[in-house]
Amino acid sequence: MASLIRRVWREVYAALQAYGAIYISGAQPAEHTPPPGTAPPKAAPRGGPPAGHPERLCPEVALSPVERALKRQLEAGP
């Protein structure tokens, strides 16, 4: 009886692994791949969070020195 339960459990476990792999698989087909030798498309400009968002900057508050340094690094690009 124990061996039957073990065999059934092994099959159920394998089925659940296969089912879960569908949802966490990193292999996704590319929507559009540019031809070799062409430049990659430019990224859209970042507009920031929408109005009223809690992470929106207040224009009346000056940036701290650390924030200014981070802003310079982000604007400089990679």
Side-chain angles (χ1 to χ4, degrees), residues 31-57:
E31 291 180 15
H32 172 70
T33 53
T38 60
K42 295 192 184 253
R46 296 182 183 141
H53 194 276
E55 293 182 1
R56 191 96 177 142
L57 294 176

Side-chain angles (χ1 to χ4, degrees), residues 43 46 72-78:
R46 296 182 183 141
R72 279 194 304 274
Q73 288 177 1
L74 288 173
E75 288 174 346

Side-chain angles (χ1 to χ4, degrees), residues 15-16 33 64-65 78:
L16 289 173
T33 53
S64 71

Side-chain angles (χ1 to χ4, degrees):
M1 183 67 174
S3 64
L4 174 66
I5 293 173
R6 212 172 299 130
R7 279 187 283 161
V8 169
W9 172 247
R10 195 174 343 183
E11 294 300 321
V12 169
Y13 185 74
L16 289 173
Q17 281 183 321
Y19 182 73
I22 294 170
Y23 291 102
I24 60 171
S25 174
Q28 299 279 333
E31 291 180 15
H32 172 70
T33 53
T38 60
K42 295 192 184 253
R46 296 182 183 141
H53 194 276
E55 293 182 1
R56 191 96 177 142
L57 294 176
C58 298
E60 64 273 1
V61 178
L63 296 175
S64 71
V66 173
E67 291 171 331
R68 283 194 298 272
L70 289 171
K71 182 179 177 185
R72 279 194 304 274
Q73 288 177 1
L74 288 173
E75 288 174 346

